[in-house]
Amino acid sequence: MHVVEAEIREPLILGEKSYNDITEDVCAPIEGKANALWYFVFGLAGLLALWGVGNILYTVGVGIGVWGLNKTVGWAWDITNFVWWVGIGHAGTLISAVLLLFRQRWRMAINRSAEAMTIFAVMMAALFPGIHMGRIWQAYWVLPLPNQFGSLWPNFNSPLLWDVFAISTYFSVSLVFWYIGLVPDFATVRDRMVKPLPKKIYSILAFGWSGNAKHWNRFEEVSLVLAGLATPLVFSVHSIVSMDFATSVIPGWHTTIFPPYFVAGAVFSGFAMVLTLMLVMRKVLRLEDYLTLKHIEYMNIIVMLTGSMVGVAYLTELFVAWYAGVEYEGYAFMNRATGPYWWAYWSMMTCNVISPQLMWFKKIRRNLVITFILSVIVNIGMWFERFVIIVTSLHRDFLTSSWTQFHPTYVDMGVFLGTIGLFFVLFLLYSRTFPVLALNEVKTILRATGEYGVKGSSSHGHDDHHAEPVVEETAAPVVEEAPVEAPAAEEAAEESTETEEESNDETSEEGDNEENKEQE
Amino acid sequence: MADNKKYWKGIEELEQTPEFVESSQKEFAEYVPVDEFLGNASEDTSATNRRDFLKVLGFSVTAATLAACEAPVTKSVPFLNKPEDLTPGVANYYSSTFFDGFDLASVRIKTREGRPILIEGNNDAPLGGAVNARVNSSVLSLYDSKRAKGPGLKVGKSWAKNVNWSDIDSKASKALRSAAQSGKKVVLLSNTVISPAAKGAIDTFGAYVGAQGGAFEHVQYDAISAAGVLDANQKSFGKRVLPTYNFDKAKTIVSFGADFLSTWLNSLVYTKDYAKNRKPDGAWMSKHYQFETSLTVSGSAADVRGALKPSEIAEAVKYLYGAVGGNTKGNVPASIAAKLDKAAAELKANRGESLVVAGSNNGGVQVLVNAINDKLGNYGTTVDVEKEVYTRKGSDVAFSKLANQMKAGKVGAIIIAGLNPAYVAPASVGIAEALGKVETVIYTGDRYDETTDFANFFAPSSHYLESWDVLNPAKGEYSFVQPAINPLFRTRQWQESLLKWSGNDSSYEDFVKGTALSFLGSEGSWIDAVHDGYYSGGAVAAAPVVAQDTTAAVEDVVAEPAEAVSYGISAGVVANAVKQATVAGGALELELYVKTGLGNGNQAFNPWLHEMPDPITKMTYDNYITMNPDDVMDLFGEDKASKDAKRAFLYIGQESPAKVVTLSVGGQELKLPVVPQPGQALGTAAVAIGYGVKGTEVFTREEWLGDLFDAEDNSNNTIGTNVYPLLTQDLWVSNVVTEGVTVTPVEGATYPMATTQTHHTMMGRKLVNETDLATFIEQKGKAKDKGGYNETILIADAYGEKKTTKELDLWEEHAIDLGHRWGLSIDLNLCIGCGSCVTACHLENNVAVVGKDEVRRSREMHWMRVDRYYSSTVEEIGKITDFNQFPNALDGKQAYLDAEVSDAGDDVTVTYQPLMCQHCNHAPCETVCPVAATTHSDEGLNQMAYNRCVGTRYCANNCPYKVRRFNWFQYDDLNIPAFPDFAKVNHQQDDLGRMVLNPDVVVRSRGVMEKCSMCVQRIQGSKLEAKKDGTTVQDENISSACSSACPTNAIQFGDLNDKSHKVGVEKDDDRAYLLMEEVGTQPNIYYQTKVRNV
């Protein structure tokens, strides 16, 4: 059974692709050479990352004092960055797990990169709880390891400990989920690879995938199980992160609304970051046919929805602060809005509450430039949200005698910029070495009426659709390489046809299953 | 089949010839020339076979390898014979006396393994059993590596190195002899000498000079002069002495600018006495009026305070004299006149039980004050001239006369002791010129400073902890100084040097003992007296300088008040005094005040005192001009009516440095930062003396000095600026300048200030609970009931029912009623904010000094602090009637913003709150630590396991009291790259300074959290002692560092579960409350509501 969609729906993949076209398009960045722009951006990100690593080493070598913290404000940029990155790391798993369970097939075009983004963002996030420790060399004490100190265990009451478990679980499940999804695609890349070393590497990564029905069966089952596992994690991670604050006594932190509010905020910022990255990637890697306006519009709707949820949460906080009549909490919110950090509060309000509301207009949510700008603005806003929650609550809490101001140092900024650099280094490397689309899954949503598939495979050679823009727009070397690549490509084409057939079978199988389930 | 086959290598094997059989047994088929290696022994006979050889080889290689990785060698040399009174790990205590010409305190010195590490008050001593921050911090100045290491001899323009005492002695004696023989004067210039032994040494020296044909003179001058009081008493009673002030007998106290709780005369004695009647629970509570210029510690403790310009203070004294029945009229503003009338009425009502004092060094003002006290019949009761006090003897006139003689070349040699004249002299004295004219200048200070520049002999005197002496601070009272350690450097007490130079080779110790024996009588009583540290009564053999009044009996301080004596100060004397007291006022008047931390500047090298925040301004490390906030706004052309402008403009914080102004006084100009000070009289400026001492530039760095950094001459980059030269002198040295003072802003110049508190109001919160005496009496027994001044805060539960936090608690209770539960009871009525507890905590707990820049970043490590709040008119706490309003009328954005500004003009109310870890029974810090580094003990302590801490700082964030302190750096590291080298700027952290560390308390490393442990090491010590004695811990045997250092006993430490302990009773008092009880932390620290006697 093929997927049948109503005419009125926009197709998920444009450009009348054949299965082979998909394989070609996705494998092109891996097999081709990067252009100057890639090297430029990579170099820039690398420099930032190095600067960040330097600042981290300086912090670890000299002491946390090189940051701007003080006796009253014990966390500032460190935990702000941590929560921000964790939030960004939310979209990937949400897309791949939750949308998988909800059978949102449009996710297939974006889930691979969104998951990659998740992995990298969580890596960046995990850095901060480590380096913010005064004695990072004792960091392993937060793990419940058997030890020689007697029966000395971590404090299971501490939300910080829950964080350790939540983040590490989330990270490992996300990583496994991502990798499982990659296996068939790695196999495709392996099969196309000519150079011996990459071929060897990809064959290791492909885990002996041969594409037989048994493999596909297991693949589907594992994916479903992992999706089931990952879904609660999407909600638990940020709930637990929010408990770092919610379980404390500090006015402005001590709020029961935090778990849903944080999860909504995380999805909000995660989708914004996915948008930022995808909009660049679809342009650079020429994936316009796969990441269509429809995808962008869907994501914008999610951004708008979660942004509105965040907005409601902000207003609820204000209402509760007033309604509860607690002196300290009332002041905490008064101080946020009118105190020395009013600019941070109003930046947050503008970026997170007002800007997503523009998405109500179809023209705006289908406009790539505006979407890109708004996605960046949302992420700036979300960074400010965490800054506002952490710093403005801490800097003026109960005892007025201890009120202070927080002034960041260049090391604070350096570490943050460094993680952005490092994130992009990883993402750029990923985009050149990994199949950036789940190519085997994407094929299942190709409107494969047979017409396209046949046309695609038979007309290869005549149809230079995917090669054309390369010739036109990018540097010469690609053109020079084209003849060298040709035989390999032909071989690959043959192979991929096989794969396609298999996956077609698989798809129909899946379709049957789905149908059966639906009937049940 | 195969096993039937036989394989052989050669015919020998096949044949199994005996040769073959033999050689096959050998390890090597071939001959190995082992014998040749083995020398004489043959292979067969040698015991060393190949295996042994390999074993030996292997062992040697391994051993050689292991030897290469040498473990660090720590040498620990045990005593071969244990010294009789020294058990490692057990502290020894010695009684001694601290007297530096400014503070007097009987102290008890704790030594560990021979090192003095703690100074506490000797509570048994009749005089000065209390300590303040200056006294308890003095132990660190012992370990100051910048002290002079040995004597110095000036050769040409520079100091010769490695000079021996014998060189100095021979050369100095020769110089002194030739000066005497030349017929010129030989002078000893010192601060007040109250030691009969020193007096004996001086007499010996004087006699020697006389024998050489020279004239000898001993001139005494005090850096902070009290000559005005002395001269007034000379005029009034014919005795140039201080009277005994009995603050404990006074029901009404009126002070005109005398900061008697912090810096005025024997402040420690006064503080202790004053505190006796400041509890509202007693039979009566004294009422304290203070009229002053800048806000002082005494002014903040006062019940009624009036801010006056210095010139107006004399007028106020005159006004009061008129109001109590005298014939003078003072010209004071109406608001002050009202307060003075009220004071006068109360003074008259309490005849013989009132006390009026004045801080002015003007003899005229002091005569008037004497006349007021006389009119009120206070002599013989609250003021006692018969019980003479000798702690100030300096004469301003004699000092300026000496300077003139020196300038005239009439002085051939001068010996300077206990005084740094080149630093403390007013500019008008011209001390530099005077010292330059003297051929032989011998200086006995403790380091190379301003005066050493003029000296040609440097004979450094020992620290008081290395010295012997006997002191006679008051009539019939003796106090002993004994060393707690051998001199660390090649120093010698100046008294011994004097003896040496007069040809007397006896040690000063023997000399002191000889002097003491003359009145003690026996060797046994000498040992007892030194052991006790004091000796009261007895006939005085060696008469002190002032002729003794033999008729006066020795009075017990706590005895019943004697019959008042009237001296009837004559109208003529008063009229003359009025003339002397009257000064013309100016538009801007300057007061040079003494700061609580640094005192007269003797301890300007003590980082603990620099880092102790000033009780009032909460500034550390600098001196600065304080001015009323309105004056500062005017000065910079800002709109003082706008609270928003005020809040923004006057804020001084990490990135908001102070503005700089030029202060010009009679031709002298100084650039100083300006700090707005609520409560200061309008039209005045005040600067602290005691700063800018030469050598303090080592404590500071370029970036800490802002625009005042002098790139060319580093010696100008001292901490603060010396303002002693601004003192004026006519008859007396005056600390006020009333005319010709101008202050002009320096455009664009800023100066970073390090303050520990940037916010000054309580924002209407119940932090310091406060009420007035009438309410307190009215609500006796029901203050915690609904509407009482100490109302328990109730919280509505889900059904709207009001409940206490305890009832709403979700937590499991600790078993807090079992066994010990250690806690503190802090009486806010007694706390005067002096900061003695802050430095005591530094000493006891090895708290790191972090330097100005770190304090500026709000990273001071103080385990305990004293919060100071100004009440603001918006907060409506200034109005006594609104004390109980909580939550008060703070409503809306602007109200909150306005509440941040302490806008009480010059009529400010100050409250103090000592704050340390509250040892919450439900501690928010304990739950959030991921590694359980902070836990609760079953004795109620919130404990910190430094070893376990990984430094997430979550506990500090979650602490509602913000008492946790994080080690941002390795503060004792000598080589921190790129960041302040803490050990270089603070000698507490250098090799010598670390001798002061308490070995019972671990020094925390970088990256761990630390906080008040309630001196767990002292608790443990007391428990062990009690166990040895077979008893329970008694109240008097247990104290925390802060409680034992508190001069007013505001802080009490003990077992909350034991009713025989003061805290066990006080916790249930009407006045007792828990700080921010509504947060539900259930602290073990109880605060007692402040009650103002208004």
Side-chain angles (χ1 to χ4, degrees), chain A residues 60 65 67 69-71 74-75 78 132 134-135 141 155 158 244 248-250 328 397-398 400-403, chain B residues 756 758 761 765 857-860 865 867 928-930 947 949-954 957-958 962 1006 1078:
Chain A
V60 173
W67 295 352
L69 305 171
N70 58 45
K71 63 181 177 189
W75 292 343
D78 46 356
H132 100 295
R135 302 202 292 170
W141 283 353
N155 177 10
S158 170
D244 284 350
S248 79
V249 300
I250 300 301
Y328 306 114
D397 62 345
F398 295 97
T400 56
S401 64
S402 297
W403 288 7
Chain B
T756 60
T758 53
T761 67
R765 298 174 179 185
R857 292 168 196 272
S858 299
R859 289 175 182 171
E860 73 280 357
R865 59 179 195 260
D867 289 343
V928 299
C929 175
N947 275 355
C949 179
V950 295
T952 65
R953 301 183 296 287
Y954 197 177
N957 286 341
N958 206 25
K962 291 287 173 277
R1006 166 197 145 191
E1078 64 274 21

Side-chain angles (χ1 to χ4, degrees), chain A residues 74-76 78-84 86 158-160 162-163 237-259 261-262 317 336 385-391 393-394, chain B residues 928 954 957-958:
Chain A
W75 292 343
D78 46 356
I79 302 300
T80 300
N81 298 341
F82 160 67
V83 181
W84 188 70
V86 172
S158 170
L160 223 50
W162 311 340
D163 256 3
V237 176
H238 230 59
S239 298
I240 287 171
V241 168
S242 80
M243 284 175 199
D244 284 350
F245 308 107
T247 62
S248 79
V249 300
I250 300 301
W253 283 12
H254 184 77
T255 318
T256 44
I257 198 181
F258 266 12
Y261 161 17
F262 267 53
E317 268 190 324
R336 276 187 194 176
E385 180 200 293
R386 279 64 182 252
F387 179 81
V388 164
I389 290 172
I390 293 168
V391 175
S393 303
L394 281 177
Chain B
V928 299
Y954 197 177
N957 286 341
N958 206 25

Side-chain angles (χ1 to χ4, degrees), chain B residues 72 77 130 151 225 291 390 467 516 582 589 652 694 732 735 835 961 1064 1089:
Chain B
V77 185
S225 173
F291 299 93
Y390 308 125
S467 299
T582 309
E589 299 185 15
I652 295 176
K694 186 183 167 191
W732 300 278
N735 68 329
Y961 307 99
T1089 303

Side-chain angles (χ1 to χ4, degrees), chain A residues 373-420:
Chain A
I373 293 169
L374 284 180
S375 72
V376 173
I377 284 178
V378 164
N379 267 313
I380 292 171
M382 285 309 288
W383 191 90
F384 272 116
E385 180 200 293
R386 279 64 182 252
F387 179 81
V388 164
I389 290 172
I390 293 168
V391 175
T392 66
S393 303
L394 281 177
H395 91 123
R396 290 185 167 184
D397 62 345
F398 295 97
L399 272 188
T400 56
S401 64
S402 297
W403 288 7
T404 58
Q405 289 293 107
F406 167 77
H407 299 277
T409 63
Y410 74 93
V411 186
D412 279 305
M413 301 178 200
V415 172
F416 178 49
L417 292 177
T419 53
I420 292 178

Side-chain angles (χ1 to χ4, degrees), chain A residues 1-22:
Chain A
M1 287 277 289
H2 293 298
V3 182
V4 180
E5 289 184 74
E7 272 305 308
I8 200 160
R9 283 205 180 177
E10 279 179 65
L12 288 167
I13 296 167
L14 305 176
E16 302 191 343
K17 298 283 180 191
S18 67
Y19 292 134
N20 185 47
D21 291 339
I22 296 174

